[in-house]
């Protein structure tokens, strides 16, 4: 026998697994299987999933056949939902802190006690006129629960419904909002487009559209004989998306806006744009005169004078010839899509950049066209509005703590990164209670150590997390949510291809632990607060509240409910050229010159001088009309370049969404993550690694003005020299409250777009310290 | 919402431990009286693939492959019946990167089966290179003989936290410590679909198997197609004739039944 002795002995060891055959739960027969259609909740994309349940155990998640978003396939994140459902670290039920904060000592309490305790504290706050001092940080981008929190705060009397938007997709959303007057992310008609130009959008790794995009790209390339759609990806880092694109255009960080305007220059100079669309459907292309007789600059003038390709080449590092060619390709291969999704625009020049990219869609006439960009059509209706009482009205009038609608963030929807400062300084007022829903800011937001300090300063901290994350460890009260596989709700996913989609989420197994859907928690909490707040919540439970969004819509009622029951999804048809839905701007057109920006600035700054002084104080270089037009200026970076010679380049890998999945082993251990899959790593260019004297797998310290973190080195040819690539969501699991370093995204400095609040991912200088 | 046959098959598989020992209800018939013998193959379109690794996770979930953890991962002991191999070349910014979803190639002339001293690995009548864990003595000769490195040695006792055992697939047995394991083209699913088709009184069609293995089923880009290479009308047979088609290390004469498609020339 050729067998080696040691291995043969190893093979003879007693085989003990798998577990003995489990008892069959009530309501199930031995060998019985069910396939339950529901909607994935691992990221906001809203893929349809069918869960194979065997004798009461969920054993496999697959994509739902013919689903409008994922069409039967399912990405790695969706499949790993099983490891969330059966995660051994899940919080078993409501907890009250029993030791000092962060001690990890808890007492189990009942839901009645938990809701009673929270309602007591909130009721006390409200009675003494401090209702505005309640802050809810809500990390779910869309859906019925965010609507319920909004309603709760309206009835209770706090303006502080703080979203994660500034840290995720804010630039793109604000650009569409200002240029089209539409509040929701648009859809893209991938199936009929001819050309896609992506500006830093990590389409194949982690975007709102990853799975839909995988399908679409596959169809663009091989779906129709003789047709081959070209996908060009622009980014500094050579990512999976860059490698899989037809062409990768390397660019200097945070200069996407200049490139887009350079391309616009060529389109306008050579009359390659869609003249009919620009004439009929846009505003502010040429200079115009307002009602007071003042002349304003037009987009044409701006791009022709300020962004000639040679100048843009100097800013971006993209050769002028490439800029000319991209413009020609975009014009020739219509309909074409310019993409600003994701964190590509996340820099202090974010709003102008996102507008510059979206302006290309207007120039080539892709708005509302087949193969272009389609405004989102909502199917779900709204509840009748909540009526705040006198106490609530007083509370709602307070200044929002995230700067929304104030001079601190005049063009944005609030900046979550402003919270630690506000809490620690107690300005504009001390925060008395903080509720965290789908949010772990100590880990997933910049300056994590400051977040930890800020949380400890708040008298009452409540977490709804189903897992003991970094922020939950500091909480006073833990009210664990169901996972999405245990919950009943109606969801409306992101727009994907522009088809309206409604998804059903239903429990595939009964709740594993003594948890509660946060939707039910909000309703029960409101009821416990008594009249005034309770009146806004007439529903018996969350299921009834969310069903009402569906059934009160008379036009779709019948077909929708039936179809949802069977397949977990209902979808409508794409619609094109619905101009009244696509443009809710003051002009009713696509606005190159956003009049909404002009009026918002005018509302906050009575004189031009006041505005200019504010801009100068914030380090903004742009002035006048250009603030309302797509524009570019250099991004601000935190840290002295002599002390911090590298620039941090945070990126989303394909195991990232919504704060990351480091707690799910299947996603941690993806094969392409290699030998360092379980370590916190950064990517360094081979030349830089050689100069620093560090090698693959070495431990080093990354230091930024916000803190330091011990990480391991991946030497990668795809990292640009002078940058340190930081995969978002990287971190230890399980977390410890006394982790000395800055876990997760805490190395980043909390800089944002000074007017719009968009969190700047590309804003932090760092240095490398070798381990002693 | 109705009970299916798969639960029953799961019991069978559990009882038999090694999936390779369960008699195959269709191919066990002698040629002539039963349907045409299948030869299973897979086509992976690299122009469609976006490198998302859904296939790798689907495979681990379906086939009860344990997570390696920090220590074993760093030692290169992670098991991926469906792997994703990456090659990078060039210097910034002149770069090329290739991604290769990599299951067992199920060679027509497999080097691995010939070296096994105990008959633990062999080729099934339908062309699947199969592995019987109970016979394997862990000598790893097959592992070193595989030119594609698609055989994995089980370095540690497979283990799951108790709650995560709930999610184990009842149709697939767990392999013990000290044996070789590998991709089996999800042949428990092939057996199951054959049962179903027979119960419905019809013959197997291309549509029944096109996305049958867990990797093919999960692929959002529909880059993975499965089917019968003996059926000239099957999608895999037709795609295998594409000018974009190639097999890995063709010069070795192993005749892989996993065929890749790519517009640009593949660089090994």
């Amino acid at each position: 026998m050729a067998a080696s002795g040691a291995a043969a002995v190893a093979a003879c060891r007693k085989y003990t697994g798998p577990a003995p055959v489990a008892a069959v739960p009530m309501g199930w027969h031995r060998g019985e299987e069910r396939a339950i259609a529901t909607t994935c909740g691992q990221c906001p994309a809203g893929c349809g999933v069918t869960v194979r349940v065997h004798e009461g155990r969920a054993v496999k998640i697959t994509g739902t056949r013919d689903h409008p978003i994922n069409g039967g396939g399912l990405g790695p994140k969706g499949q790993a939902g099983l490891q969330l459902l059966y995660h051994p670290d899940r919080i078993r039920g409501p907890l009250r802190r029993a030791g000092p904060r962060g001690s990890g000592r808890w007492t189990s309490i009942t839901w009645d006690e938990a809701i009673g305790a929270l309602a007591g504290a909130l009721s006390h706050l409200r009675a003494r006129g401090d209702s505005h001092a309640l802050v809810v940080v809500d990390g779910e981008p869309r859906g019925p629960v965010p609507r319920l929190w909004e309603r709760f705060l309206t009835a209770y009397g706090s303006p502080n419904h703080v979203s994660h938007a500034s840290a995720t997709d804010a630039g793109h959303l604000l650009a569409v909002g200002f240029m089209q007057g539409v509040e929701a992310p648009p859809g893209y008609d991938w199936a009929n487009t001819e050309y896609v130009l992506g500006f830093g959008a990590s389409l194949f790794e982690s975007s709102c559209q990853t799975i839909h995009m995988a399908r679409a790209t596959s169809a663009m390339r091989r779906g129709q004989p003789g047709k081959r759609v070209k996908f060009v990806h622009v980014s500094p880092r050579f990512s999976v998306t860059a490698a899989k694109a037809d062409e990768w255009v390397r660019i200097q960080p945070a200069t996407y806006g200049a490139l887009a305007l350079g391309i616009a220059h060529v389109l306008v100079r050579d009359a390659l744009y869609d003249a009919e669309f620009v004439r009929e459907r846009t505003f502010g292309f040429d200079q115009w005169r307002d009602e007071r007789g003042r002349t304003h600059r037009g987009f044409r003038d701006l791009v022709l004078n300020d962004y000639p390709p040679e100048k843009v080449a100097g800013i971006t590092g993209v050769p002028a010839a490439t800029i000319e060619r991209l413009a020609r390709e975009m014009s020739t291969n219509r309909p074409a899509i310019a993409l600003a999704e994701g964190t590509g625009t996340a820099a202090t020049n974010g709003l102008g950049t996102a507008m510059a990219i979206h302006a290309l869609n207007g120039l080539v006439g892709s708005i509302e066209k087949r193969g272009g960009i389609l405004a989102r059509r909502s199917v779900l209706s709204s509840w009748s509005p909540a009526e705040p009482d006198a106490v609530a009205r007083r509370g709602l009038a307070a200044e929002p703590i995230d700067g929304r609608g104030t001079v601190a963030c005049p063009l944005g929807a609030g900046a979550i990164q402003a919270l630690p400062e506000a809490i620690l300084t107690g300005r504009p007022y001390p925060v008395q209670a903080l509720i965290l829903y789908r949010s772990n800011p100590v880990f997933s937001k910049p300056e994590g150590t400051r977040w930890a300090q800020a949380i400890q300063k708040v008298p009452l901290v409540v977490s709804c997390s189903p897992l003991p994350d970094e922020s939950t460890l500091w909480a006073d009260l833990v009210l664990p949510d169901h996972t999405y596989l245990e919950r009943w709700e109606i969801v409306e996913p992101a727009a994907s291809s522009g088809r309206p989609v409604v998804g059903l989420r239903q429990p595939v197994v009964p709740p594993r632990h003594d948890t509660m859907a946060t939707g039910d928690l909000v309703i029960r909490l409101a009821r416990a607060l008594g009249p005034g707040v309770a009146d806004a919540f007439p529903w018996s439970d969350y299921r009834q509240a969310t069903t009402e969004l569906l059934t009160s819509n008379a036009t779709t009622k019948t077909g929708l409910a039936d179809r949802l029951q069977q397949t977990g999804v209902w979808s409508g048809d794409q619609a094109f050229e619905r101009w009244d839905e696509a443009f809710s701007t003051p002009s009713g057109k696509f606005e190159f010159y956003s009049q909404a920006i002009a009026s918002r600035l005018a509302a906050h700054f009575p004189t031009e001088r006041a505005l200019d002084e504010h801009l100068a104080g914030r380090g903004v270089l742009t002035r006048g009309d250009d603030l309302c037009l797509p524009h570019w200026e250099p991004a601000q970076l935190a840290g002295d370049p002599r002390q911090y010679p590298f620039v941090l380049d945070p990126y989303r890998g394909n195991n990232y969404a919504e704060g990351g999945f480091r707690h799910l082993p299947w996603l941690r251990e993806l094969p392409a993550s290699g030998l360092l899959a379980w370590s916190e790593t950064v990517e360094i260019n081979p030349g830089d690694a050689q100069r620093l004297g560090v090698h693959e797998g070495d431990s080093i310290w990354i230091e930024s003005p916000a803190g330091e973190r011990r990480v391991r080195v991946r030497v990668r040819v795809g990292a640009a020299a002078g940058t340190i690539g930081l995969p978002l969501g990287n971190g230890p699991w399980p977390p410890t409250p006394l982790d000395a370093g800055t876990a997760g995204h805490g190395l980043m400095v909390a800089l944002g777009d000074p007017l719009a609040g968009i969190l700047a991912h590309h804003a932090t200088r760092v240095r490398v310290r070798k381990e002693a | 919402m109705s009970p299916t046959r798969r639960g029953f098959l799961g019991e069978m598989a559990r009882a038999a431990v090694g999936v390779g020992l369960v008699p195959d209800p269709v191919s066990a018939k002698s040629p002539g009286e039963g349907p045409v013998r299948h030869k299973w193959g897979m086509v992976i379109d690299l122009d469609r693939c976006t490198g998302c690794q859904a296939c790798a996770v689907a495979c681990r979930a379906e086939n009860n492959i344990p997570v390696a953890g920090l220590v074993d991962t760093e030692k290169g002991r992670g098991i991926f019946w469906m792997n994703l191999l990456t090659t990078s070349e060039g210097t910034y910014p002149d770069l090329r990167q290739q991604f290769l979803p990599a299951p067992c190639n199920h060679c027509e002339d497999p080097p691995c089966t010939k070296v096994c001293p105990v008959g633990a690995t062999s080729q099934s009548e339908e062309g699947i290179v199969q592995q019987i864990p109970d016979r394997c003595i862990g000598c790893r000769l097959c592992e070193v003989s595989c030119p594609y490195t698609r055989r994995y040695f089980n370095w540690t006792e497979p283990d799951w936290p108790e709650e995560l055992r709930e999610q184990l697939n009842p149709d697939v047995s767990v392999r013990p410590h000290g044996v070789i394991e590998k991709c089996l083209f999800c042949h428990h699913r092939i057996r199951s679909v054959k049962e179903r088709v027979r119960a419905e009184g019809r013959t197997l069609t291309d549509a029944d198997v096109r996305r049958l293995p867990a990797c093919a089923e999960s692929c959002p880009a529909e880059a993975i197609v499965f089917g019968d290479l003996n059926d000239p009308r099957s999608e895999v047979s037709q795609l295998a004739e594409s000018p974009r088609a190639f097999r890995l290390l063709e010069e070795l004469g192993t005749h892989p039944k996993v065929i890749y498609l790519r517009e640009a020339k593949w660089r090994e």
Side-chain angles (χ1 to χ4, degrees):
Chain A
M1 291 293 251
S4 85
V9 170
C12 295
R13 267 177 68 172
K14 192 165 167 280
Y15 171 49
T16 52
V21 177
V24 179
M26 284 278 285
W28 288 82
H29 307 295
R30 173 72 67 198
E32 183 182 352
E33 300 231 343
R34 294 175 196 166
I36 300 177
T38 183
T39 302
C40 183
Q42 291 278 69
C43 86
C47 293
V49 292
T50 302
V51 182
R52 178 186 172 204
V53 186
H54 175 86
E55 294 175 2
R57 298 179 293 119
V59 296
K60 186 79 170 70
I61 304 182
T62 54
T64 300
R65 287 274 165 105
D66 304 322
H67 192 279
I69 293 175
N70 54 317
L74 189 66
K77 291 171 252 194
Q79 301 191 50
L82 292 177
Q83 291 192 325
L84 173 68
L85 177 66
Y86 294 116
H87 202 292
D89 295 341
R90 279 187 63 184
I91 298 168
R92 312 283 140 151
L95 301 173
R96 182 160 46 204
R97 181 164 60 84
R101 276 190 168 166
S103 64
R105 293 209 293 277
W106 306 95
T107 310
S108 279
I109 52 176
T110 66
W111 277 101
D112 284 341
E113 286 169 336
I115 291 168
L118 181 55
L122 295 186
S123 179
H124 180 65
L125 268 190
R126 192 168 135 93
R128 67 172 206 229
D130 268 349
S131 64
H132 58 280
L134 166 66
V135 176
V136 175
V137 178
D138 173 0
E140 190 173 5
R142 287 170 294 277
V145 176
R147 291 201 207 186
L148 279 177
W149 279 123
E150 181 68 27
R151 189 176 182 85
F152 175 83
L153 291 171
T154 303
Y156 176 79
S158 170
N160 292 313
H161 185 198
V162 177
S163 82
H164 281 201
S166 72
T168 52
D169 212 9
H172 172 60
L173 282 175
L174 289 172
V176 175
F178 284 124
M179 299 172 86
Q180 292 186 227
V182 175
E183 294 299 322
Y188 302 89
D189 185 11
W190 301 117
N192 296 302
T193 195
E194 295 287 338
Y195 190 80
V196 180
L197 180 57
F199 292 84
S202 52
L203 277 181
F204 297 153
E205 290 139 292
S206 175
S207 77
C208 225
Q209 310 244 341
T210 306
I211 296 309
H212 188 71
M213 189 61 199
R215 261 178 89 202
T217 311
S218 155
M220 285 177 199
R221 291 187 175 163
R222 309 292 337 165
Q224 299 164 49
K227 182 178 164 180
R228 179 75 157 77
V229 177
K230 185 171 179 181
F231 169 47
V232 180
H233 179 69
V234 186
S235 68
R237 178 176 168 269
F238 186 71
S239 60
V240 173
T241 306
K244 280 289 180 181
D246 296 295
E247 181 181 349
W248 172 52
V249 176
R250 184 228 355 185
I251 190 168
Q252 289 297 320
T255 63
Y256 295 121
L259 177 64
L261 293 164
I263 293 170
H265 173 103
V266 179
L267 290 171
V268 175
R269 183 196 67 200
D270 298 350
L272 298 171
Y273 62 94
D274 184 336
E276 190 197 331
F277 181 86
V278 168
R279 190 176 60 242
E280 302 293 326
R281 305 283 169 209
T282 70
F283 170 84
F285 183 69
D286 290 301
Q287 66 170 6
W288 57 286
R289 205 182 284 262
D290 64 22
E291 66 271 23
R292 284 189 287 166
R294 281 187 310 181
T295 306
H296 294 276
R297 194 182 196 191
F299 183 63
R300 178 205 295 270
D301 182 67
L302 179 135
V303 293
L304 287 182
N305 283 305
D306 299 354
Y307 297 96
E310 299 70 31
K311 181 182 163 192
V312 171
I315 296 168
T316 59
V318 179
T322 306
I323 298 170
E324 300 264 356
R325 177 172 55 80
L326 291 175
R328 269 162 221 293
E329 285 181 359
M330 220 182 154
S331 167
T332 317
N333 300 295
R334 285 190 230 163
I337 291 172
L339 264 184
E341 275 218 343
T343 49
T345 58
T348 60
N349 57 14
L351 178 57
T353 294
M355 288 176 70
I357 297 165
H358 196 46
L360 291 176
N361 293 316
L363 274 185
V364 297
S366 297
I367 310 290
E368 284 295 287
K369 297 286 179 59
R370 181 169 291 277
I373 293 169
L374 306 174
R376 181 169 188 250
R377 269 113 197 161
S378 187
V379 181
L380 295 189
S381 53
S382 302
W383 300 303
S384 55
E387 288 298 330
D389 61 12
V391 184
R393 279 199 297 276
R394 231 177 5 254
L396 287 167
E399 189 179 323
I401 200 157
D402 62 355
R404 175 174 14 112
T406 74
V407 79
C409 185
L411 299 182
I416 187 174
Q417 66 271 21
L419 257 62
E421 181 73 15
I423 293 171
L424 287 168
T425 59
R427 282 198 301 267
Y429 43 80
V431 172
Q432 303 291 352
L434 176 67
I435 298 177
L436 300 169
Y437 167 66
R438 304 260 300 246
S439 181
N440 176 19
V442 175
F443 176 82
S444 74
K445 294 294 164 279
E447 300 183 4
T449 44
R450 263 173 84 70
W451 267 101
Q453 290 161 10
I455 282 190
Q456 290 172 68
K457 193 167 177 249
V458 179
L460 175 65
V461 177
V462 181
S463 171
C464 303
S465 173
L467 286 165
D469 57 35
E470 281 84 350
S471 308
T472 302
L473 293 173
W474 296 109
D476 303 297
L477 211 50
V478 184
L479 310 176
D481 196 359
H482 290 338
T483 66
Y484 69 94
L485 293 169
E486 301 162 309
R487 202 161 52 219
W488 209 103
E489 64 191 348
I490 301 288
V491 290
E492 204 165 12
S496 301
S497 63
R499 292 170 69 176
V501 177
V502 174
L504 170 73
R505 200 166 277 153
Q506 56 183 328
V508 301
V509 293
R512 301 262 311 147
H513 304 295
D514 184 20
T515 53
M516 182 184 287
T518 302
D520 279 314
L521 170 69
V522 179
I523 292 171
R524 289 186 55 180
L525 182 62
R527 236 187 266 133
L529 282 164
V533 184
D535 299 345
F537 294 83
W539 312 287
S540 60
D541 58 10
Y542 177 49
R543 180 171 173 172
Q544 197 197 3
T546 160
T547 312
E548 201 177 289
L549 293 173
L550 190 72
T551 50
S552 61
N553 189 327
T555 53
T556 48
K557 190 175 168 179
T558 10
L560 210 147
D562 291 351
R563 191 134 169 77
L564 276 178
Q565 283 297 326
Q566 293 157 17
T567 61
V569 65
W570 174 91
S571 65
D573 294 325
Q574 286 172 317
F576 305 97
E577 306 197 19
R578 299 259 182 91
W579 305 115
D580 51 333
E581 288 173 17
F583 304 135
S584 307
T585 50
S587 62
K589 294 179 173 181
F590 181 91
E591 294 198 346
F592 288 111
Y593 185 106
S594 169
Q595 298 185 82
I597 292 182
S599 57
R600 282 231 212 165
L601 289 176
H604 288 288
F605 305 99
T607 63
E608 224 159 283
R609 193 156 150 226
L611 174 61
D612 288 353
E613 276 173 12
H614 179 81
L615 296 174
R618 298 299 203 89
V620 180
L621 308 175
T622 309
R623 294 288 182 277
D625 277 339
D626 289 5
L627 289 167
C628 307
L629 286 159
H631 65 276
W632 181 85
E633 64 174 64
Q636 301 171 22
L637 289 167
D640 180 345
R642 283 163 303 177
Q643 283 187 49
Y644 298 100
F646 291 92
V647 175
L648 198 65
D649 180 16
Y651 68 89
R652 301 189 196 180
N654 70 351
N655 52 3
Y656 180 79
E658 307 292 291
F661 289 116
R662 67 210 145 105
H663 50 286
L664 303 183
W666 282 338
L667 296 181
R668 213 141 172 175
E669 226 174 74
L670 289 176
S673 301
L675 303 184
L676 298 177
W678 285 88
S679 302
E680 291 178 55
T681 57
V682 294
E683 295 185 359
I684 300 182
N685 176 278
D688 289 338
Q690 198 177 13
R691 258 187 305 286
L692 291 164
V694 297
H695 306 93
E696 178 85 8
D698 283 1
S699 284
I700 56 168
W701 288 83
I702 302 290
E703 301 176 335
S704 84
E708 56 176 25
R709 187 80 189 161
R710 187 166 176 263
V711 295
R712 296 178 72 189
V713 173
R714 290 180 192 264
V715 179
R716 286 291 175 276
V717 287
T723 67
I724 299 285
L726 177 78
L728 292 174
N730 213 337
W733 189 269
T736 54
L738 302 174
D739 192 345
T742 315
H745 312 169
L747 280 175
M748 291 196 283
V749 172
L751 268 188
D753 181 311
L755 296 175
I758 302 160
L759 172 67
H761 280 68
H762 301 274
T764 308
R765 291 188 181 279
V766 294
R767 63 182 168 221
V768 173
R769 192 177 87 224
K770 283 173 73 173
E771 192 143 68
Chain B
M1 287 281 194
S2 61
T4 72
R5 307 181 62 87
R6 290 181 76 171
F8 166 72
L9 290 165
E11 293 303 309
M12 264 174 71
R14 214 187 338 244
V17 184
V19 279
L21 291 178
V22 180
D24 191 310
V26 175
S27 66
K29 290 183 181 178
S30 62
E33 82 178 52
V36 185
R37 185 177 292 166
H38 306 291
K39 184 160 82 178
W40 300 115
M42 182 178 278
V43 175
I44 303 179
D45 189 334
L46 301 177
D47 296 323
R48 285 185 185 260
C49 169
T50 63
C52 80
Q53 309 179 64
C55 50
V57 174
C59 175
R60 286 191 132 190
E62 178 71 14
N63 292 301
N64 295 337
I65 295 169
V67 165
L70 185 142
V71 173
D72 275 355
T73 297
E74 289 213 8
K75 288 178 178 166
R77 293 173 175 181
I79 297 173
F80 294 97
W81 292 8
M82 174 55 110
N83 209 329
L84 185 90
L85 306 178
T86 311
T87 65
S88 298
E89 54 184 281
T91 52
Y92 191 95
D94 180 21
L95 296 164
R96 278 171 54 91
Q97 193 167 28
Q98 301 181 130
F99 301 90
L100 190 80
C104 170
N105 279 301
H106 294 281
C107 306
E108 269 300 88
D109 190 2
C112 55
T113 56
K114 299 186 184 109
V115 298
C116 180
V118 293
T121 183
S122 57
Q123 197 175 29
S124 81
E125 289 185 334
E126 300 189 351
I128 294 177
V129 176
Q130 56 197 1
Q131 183 77 20
I132 301 169
D134 276 13
R135 287 190 190 162
C136 178
I137 57 169
C139 70
R140 304 176 68 196
L141 282 177
C142 58
E143 188 185 356
V144 293
S145 74
C146 173
Y148 306 103
T149 66
R150 300 301 146 74
R151 289 177 158 272
Y152 298 86
F153 184 67
N154 244 304
W155 284 92
T156 40
E157 195 70 57
D159 195 19
W160 286 265
E162 193 177 328
E163 289 181 60
L164 280 170
R165 286 170 181 257
E166 295 282 304
Q167 140 275 302
L168 292 179
N169 183 356
D171 299 344
V172 176
S173 57
V174 174
R175 287 71 53 192
H177 172 211
V179 301
I180 290 286
E181 59 179 71
K182 65 178 288 298
C183 161
L184 300 168
F185 267 172
C186 279
H187 91 267
H188 58 287
R189 287 190 174 202
I190 300 176
R191 189 182 316 114
S192 163
V193 77
K194 282 179 180 170
E195 284 279 356
R196 197 183 72 224
V197 159
R198 198 163 61 168
E200 289 168 5
R202 59 186 183 90
T203 51
L204 209 57
T205 66
D206 207 29
D208 291 319
V209 295
R210 214 183 144 263
R211 295 183 74 175
L212 191 71
C215 54
E217 181 185 49
S218 72
C219 181
E222 297 188 37
I224 305 177
V225 180
F226 186 72
D228 185 357
L229 289 168
N230 271 352
D231 174 3
R233 290 157 309 165
S234 72
E235 193 171 346
V236 281
S237 294
Q238 302 201 342
L239 287 171
E241 299 298 314
S242 160
R244 296 190 294 133
F246 69 98
R247 293 160 165 87
L248 293 177
L249 300 175
E250 284 181 69
E251 65 276 18
L252 297 181
T254 51
H255 302 290
K257 290 199 291 294
V258 173
I259 298 134
Y260 293 92
L261 303 177
R262 196 166 195 259
E263 284 166 355
K265 187 168 163 33
W266 174 258
R267 297 202 225 167
E268 271 169 308

